[in-house]
Amino acid sequence: MENYATTFLQFLQSQQRECGGNVEIEPGLWALFAIATSDVQNNTRVQSLLEKADFSHAAGESHDEALMIYYVDQANRDQAVHWLDDQIKQAAGEIRPVSPAHQAMINELLTSDHPHRSSRKLGELHAKGEISAGLINTPENVRQMLDRMHAREPLFYTAVQTLLHHHLIDMLVLFQQMITEDLALCNEIVKGSLSRDPFLQSRQDATVDIRNTLITFHLINPMDQMKNVAIANPYAAYLELAITGAEVYVPIDGLKITLTQVAFLQAIRTIRRKLYAGQAFEGFNTQSPWITEEIAYPFRFIKQRMAERSDLTPLDALYMLERALAE
């Protein structure tokens, strides 16, 4: 079964390279898949996937009847391109791409006069499990968020507080984008005197909570309230991962074990692939048939660490563990 899943993943990846909504077969019509008519297995699997897709599509044979072509029109192209990328990421157990609909919500959050409403919607989606940690993860979006904070809008500070509460801002990108002026602003607001205006006081309360979150993730050094120069990756610091070169050092059953980053990442993505397939993390154990020798130790550490961090959803924890490996 695992071999079949790997083969189908490779098939999807080849289709993305060769078609993927980027080959125009007729004006305004774009090929998403082109599969040999005789390939019953892959045609059946693609048809099953497309039945669940929420965009309009059609299919037809090529002129020589050698290929079955699945295609979309211009209006559905962007959504179809994202859908295929998302299918590949799920099959590989990788972090899912931000959907066009969720990116539109991020854009609205960053530009709206009522950003707290957008952040509340995103928080509700996270609570339902429809999105997971790190949704806002591009340097451009994170920098835009930091720049807007300098306008000192109370509602925007409340919005950022909500996003951080739901782990929806990538902390590594935030750490890389933060500059001295951002922290100076944060410190100035926190140190300000209490306001009789509850609207303005809400900004100070939100800023205190934002700063505390940044300290928890080690972005801020609590001693001088400035950017923490002692770390390179806030997720690694937060999850207490010691990483040197291609190796990860973790405690397992009281012993210090050296893991390769390759095996650690493989374990993360194998677990995530099972979660994407609808399996429950609580049911995973070292006797699960998909636990190989290569990922046995990483799996045990991940299971142990996630038991200690029950405040994190499995997908959020896996996001943080994978991002902890990033440079």
Side-chain angles (χ1 to χ4, degrees):
M1 190 66 179
E2 286 293 318
N3 289 336
Y4 174 69
T6 300
T7 301
F8 189 69
L9 169 61
Q10 293 169 346
F11 163 78
L12 290 178
Q13 291 170 330
S14 69
Q15 288 289 313
Q16 185 182 47
R17 290 192 300 270
E18 296 167 11
C19 298
N22 295 310
V23 176
E24 193 170 23
I25 53 176
E26 288 184 15
L29 297 179
W30 299 84
L32 193 59
F33 297 100
I35 306 170
T37 308
S38 60
D39 188 347
V40 176
Q41 186 180 52
N42 280 326
N43 273 295
T44 301
R45 186 70 179 268
V46 164
Q47 289 164 8
S48 178
L49 284 177
L50 285 170
E51 284 176 0
K52 304 169 188 173
D54 56 357
F55 55 86
S56 297
H57 56 275
E61 291 184 338
S62 58
H63 294 302
D64 60 3
E65 300 182 351
L67 296 173
M68 179 62 71
I69 301 175
Y70 302 84
Y71 59 92
V72 295
D73 60 18
Q74 187 65 42
N76 289 279
R77 182 188 174 197
D78 288 346
Q79 190 174 356
V81 168
H82 169 267
W83 172 85
L84 178 55
D85 189 35
D86 188 44
Q87 294 299 314
I88 290 171
K89 293 294 192 297
Q90 290 189 63
E94 297 178 5
I95 296 167
R96 297 177 67 177
V98 178
S99 72
H102 293 149
Q103 184 59 54
M105 294 179 71
I106 294 170
N107 295 341
E108 180 183 354
L109 164 81
L110 295 171
T111 58
S112 171
D113 290 336
H114 303 284
H116 61 299
R117 295 178 183 172
S118 299
S119 68
R120 186 167 59 245
K121 290 177 186 176
L122 290 171
E124 290 169 355
L125 291 176
H126 178 259
K128 294 176 183 177
E130 295 182 28
I131 57 176
S132 55
L135 185 76
I136 303 175
N137 56 29
T138 68
E140 295 77 15
N141 283 161
V142 172
R143 186 63 252 169
Q144 189 176 353
M145 179 193 72
L146 290 169
D147 286 343
R148 183 166 176 180
M149 292 182 75
H150 287 267
R152 299 172 181 258
E153 306 164 68
L155 290 177
F156 194 72
Y157 279 73
T158 301
V160 172
Q161 178 187 21
T162 299
L163 296 173
L164 288 173
H165 173 74
H166 288 278
H167 306 294
L168 294 178
I169 302 170
D170 186 289
M171 302 304 276
L172 177 56
V173 176
L174 179 60
F175 181 64
Q176 293 167 341
Q177 289 296 311
M178 276 195 328
I179 58 177
T180 302
E181 288 78 4
D182 300 325
L183 292 176
L185 171 67
C186 181
N187 292 333
E188 178 189 336
I189 293 174
V190 168
K191 293 176 182 177
S193 29
L194 297 177
S195 174
R196 293 182 178 180
D197 185 334
F199 190 58
L200 293 178
Q201 185 57 40
S202 69
R203 178 182 62 193
Q204 187 177 46
D205 294 341
T207 306
V208 170
D209 194 49
I210 291 169
R211 187 186 67 168
N212 289 340
T213 300
L214 298 184
I215 291 174
T216 298
F217 276 88
H218 303 272
L219 279 76
I220 293 179
N221 185 332
M223 301 300 293
D224 59 12
Q225 302 299 317
M226 299 307 292
K227 190 171 182 177
N228 192 350
V229 297
I231 68 163
N233 187 310
Y235 287 125
Y238 177 64
L239 296 171
E240 299 178 354
L241 288 180
I243 302 172
T244 304
E247 296 180 326
V248 184
Y249 307 95
V250 299
I252 301 177
D253 299 333
L255 300 174
K256 203 74 170 180
I257 304 296
T258 301
L259 308 173
T260 66
Q261 282 204 35
V262 171
F264 195 73
L265 184 58
Q266 183 184 352
I268 291 170
R269 292 182 174 176
T270 301
I271 295 169
R272 190 188 282 126
R273 186 167 65 246
K274 299 299 178 182
L275 294 176
Y276 286 158
Q279 298 182 34
F281 181 77
E282 294 75 17
F284 301 160
N285 57 60
T286 54
Q287 301 305 311
S288 298
W290 46 269
I291 299 292
T292 63
E293 184 178 350
E294 290 78 14
I295 69 170
Y297 269 130
F299 171 80
R300 286 174 62 186
F301 168 74
I302 292 169
K303 187 81 174 178
Q304 173 185 303
R305 185 49 46 94
M306 290 171 70
E308 296 167 354
R309 297 307 315 269
S310 57
D311 56 310
L312 299 175
T313 68
L315 283 176
D316 283 358
L318 291 173
Y319 180 89
M320 294 179 188
L321 286 166
E322 179 163 341
R323 291 294 284 153
L325 302 177
E327 298 180 355

